[in-house]
Amino acid sequence: MTNHPVTSVTVARAARLLGISLIAVLLAGCGALGGSDGTTAASAAPVRATSEATAPPAADAQPSQEPPTQDPSAAPDGSGQGSGDSGGSGQARTVAPGGTLADGDTVSAELTRAGQKDTFTLDLGGAREFYVADMRCDSGIKVQVIAEIDGEPEGLDNLSVCGGNWVFKLSKAGGHRLEITGDTNVIGPYSFRLATVKVRSFPVKLGLKIGEGSPPGAGRLAVGGEVHRFEFDADGASVIKVLGGTGSCLAIEMELVDAAETSVATARQPIPLCGYELPIALSNGDGRYALVIRSAAAKTGPYSFQLVRSD
């Protein structure tokens, strides 16, 4: 699981993978990418993007082949950060402690006494990865996922609910539950949203313009937790660019990985999609790659870009 605020980046790892020039861009924020002073990221020296491929996920975590249902509530809000209050069903519910949490559900509750533990049963519909997003609370309130088969936490336990977003990956068979507890003598309100990870893959070629509905199903993260993966052949190119990237500036990001990488819910080297035109070297040579479009906070909204060769 990974605590992944939209603007966070592990500088040491990003510097190794993408180069110092990209780190300067990332630390400067989205305004720098927009080139408000007349310069753009396109003028920087090329950087090198690599990927460390991992084994494919279990069968029940394979990408969906069906287009997600468009949810009218999933349009970006006026802030430009995207919305994403509903999951795959388009029928988000507010669930009370003791209830069952499904994709898109929200929780708004309160610890009212010392030692209180609020428990939620998880019903993920076969998904094995999910976001706990939009977390809000006073300090000292924790979340963990427990496997029913042995009563032990999945991954790290007692993670803060107070800001940011977590990605949980289930590795044990059987049912799971989500627990909310407070530090010693801590009480107070808390809230969050749950969204399962839904990966969709699109085969594309260099030069293709990608926008809403082109190719069919692309160009919009329509539901919370949706991840789009554009797989392409390098076709002899050694450097590429992503031109005209638009979308919710802080909500939607991209990442270049090797095509063998199928575990894509957690970003390793995220780059804001909006206004980004820095050259990216295909360091693994003339092979297959995938450009991943996602929101680390499980937000929704439209996006567009063109993937071109730059050598």
Side-chain angles (χ1 to χ4, degrees):
M1 69 199 75
T2 303
N3 187 354
H4 186 56
V6 172
T7 57
S8 71
V9 63
T10 303
V11 173
R13 180 169 180 80
R16 177 168 60 87
L17 295 175
L18 288 180
I20 299 303
S21 60
L22 176 56
I23 294 306
V25 175
L26 291 176
L27 293 180
C30 199
L33 292 172
S36 58
D37 62 352
T39 63
T40 68
S43 61
V47 297
R48 183 171 297 274
T50 62
S51 173
E52 297 175 1
T54 59
D60 53 4
Q62 291 300 312
S64 169
Q65 300 302 313
E66 294 298 323
T69 301
Q70 177 71 39
D71 175 21
S73 69
D77 60 22
S79 69
Q81 303 307 307
S83 61
D85 294 333
S86 63
S89 67
Q91 298 178 344
R93 306 170 303 153
T94 300
V95 178
T100 298
L101 278 174
D103 183 27
D105 288 345
T106 61
V107 171
S108 182
E110 185 174 4
L111 299 179
T112 59
R113 66 183 185 279
Q116 179 177 335
K117 178 188 292 183
D118 287 354
T119 300
F120 302 84
T121 300
L122 293 177
D123 180 7
L124 305 181
R128 305 298 294 176
E129 292 181 276
F130 64 96
Y131 294 91
V132 176
D134 298 341
M135 295 185 292
R136 300 289 184 274
C137 72
D138 296 329
S139 62
I141 298 180
K142 310 293 184 181
V143 58
Q144 63 183 358
V145 173
I146 302 296
E148 301 289 1
I149 194 169
D150 57 10
E152 295 295 326
E154 281 271 40
L156 301 176
D157 59 353
N158 294 317
L159 303 168
S160 176
V161 185
C162 305
N165 307 278
W166 292 104
V167 179
F168 287 86
K169 184 171 183 177
L170 305 182
S171 60
K172 297 177 183 178
H176 291 76
R177 65 181 184 271
L178 185 147
E179 294 182 349
I180 301 292
T181 57
D183 289 341
T184 303
N185 296 324
V186 169
I187 60 174
Y190 64 89
S191 62
F192 61 87
R193 172 172 54 92
L194 186 144
T196 58
V197 174
K198 314 165 200 52
V199 180
R200 295 200 62 206
S201 290
F202 303 88
V204 295
K205 294 183 178 180
L206 291 178
L208 180 68
K209 292 183 178 180
I210 296 168
E212 192 159 3
S214 178
R220 172 179 287 272
L221 301 180
V223 291
E226 192 169 3
V227 177
H228 288 180
R229 181 178 176 277
F230 296 91
E231 186 170 331
F232 63 95
D233 195 307
D235 193 25
S238 59
V239 182
I240 63 167
K241 277 187 177 182
V242 179
L243 299 179
T246 64
S248 299
C249 190
L250 296 180
I252 298 179
E253 62 190 24
M254 65 179 176
E255 178 183 18
L256 181 69
V257 300
D258 189 277
E261 182 68 78
T262 56
S263 181
V264 295
T266 302
R268 298 156 187 80
Q269 41 180 313
I271 305 166
L273 176 63
C274 65
Y276 183 85
E277 294 187 7
L278 193 68
I280 303 174
L282 302 181
S283 59
N284 290 347
D286 190 10
R288 291 191 64 80
Y289 296 82
L291 190 73
V292 178
I293 305 295
R294 70 163 79 75
S295 167
K299 299 295 186 181
T300 62
Y303 64 85
S304 63
F305 63 88
Q306 185 178 17
L307 191 62
V308 300
R309 60 192 306 141
S310 184
D311 52 3

